[in-house]
Amino acid sequence: MITNTSMLRFQVRRDSERPDAGTLLPLEAAGVSSPQIPFEIKRIYYIYGVKAAERRGFHAHYDLEQALICVHGSVKIHIEVPGEEQEIVLDDPAKALYIGPMVWREMYEFSPDAVLLVLASEHYTETDYIRDKAVYDENAKNYFRK
Ligand code: T46
């Protein structure tokens, strides 16, 4: 995985004696001894109804940490830091892409039924966004040189 990102894998709960009863997937945030989400969750949002040809994202965050979970359908995520880039396919509700600070991201090829759930470490503030790629490239070079 590229710097400041990782894949999180979650344990699902199924009852072998009730195979038709489906699946439960519990997530706990930082604060318990073995959290599935490595930060305190202050905000949740979800993205859906994105046409296949659309791309979203095109930004990084100065401080925000997020976990992206495609709870239904599939979506591709391009993640990038200076000198490193990767494409991640999210198509399983039992896995998440963790994205830390200063990672450029773009989301694309949403399946028609895709629902992308995002858990965020901070409340929404536009001042935490870097939406200009040239500004990002300049800031990221210095950030990752530290
Ligand atoms: C990210 C990717 C995965 C709010 O008012 N509150 C919110 O919590 C969010 C996330 C957005 N907004 C507003 C800001 C814009 O006017 O909703 C509008 C759409 O947001 P944006 O264009 O930033 O959406 P995406 O899909 O490009 O990016 C979002 C998150 O903003 C971003 O943090 O990592 O999803």
Side-chain angles (χ1 to χ4, degrees), residues 6-109:
S6 64
M7 292 306 301
L8 309 175
R9 287 173 208 286
F10 308 130
Q11 200 185 338
V12 299
R13 310 285 165 170
R14 291 191 190 109
D15 186 341
S16 57
E17 289 174 10
R18 297 172 63 216
D20 294 340
T23 304
L24 186 150
L25 196 160
L27 296 177
E28 291 194 274
V32 296
S33 57
S34 300
Q36 286 79 31
I37 304 299
F39 51 81
E40 190 188 334
I41 299 168
K42 292 196 181 156
R43 178 165 53 103
I44 295 172
Y45 59 92
Y46 36 98
I47 298 169
Y48 57 96
V50 184
K51 296 283 187 230
E54 278 295 326
R55 285 176 92 95
R56 301 186 63 111
F58 300 97
H59 61 259
H61 288 277
Y62 287 107
D63 292 319
L64 190 67
E65 296 176 86
Q66 299 195 111
L68 280 60
I69 307 167
C70 194
V71 291
H72 198 257
S74 64
V75 60
K76 291 181 179 168
I77 319 283
H78 167 85
I79 43 176
E80 168 182 344
V81 295
E84 299 174 60
E85 62 181 343
Q86 198 169 353
E87 179 184 81
I88 301 293
V89 179
L90 289 180
D91 58 1
D92 177 354
K95 72 180 186 189
L97 171 62
Y98 167 83
I99 306 182
M102 292 302 281
V103 177
W104 189 263
R105 84 285 317 265
E106 297 171 20
M107 301 91 78
Y108 53 100
E109 290 185 29

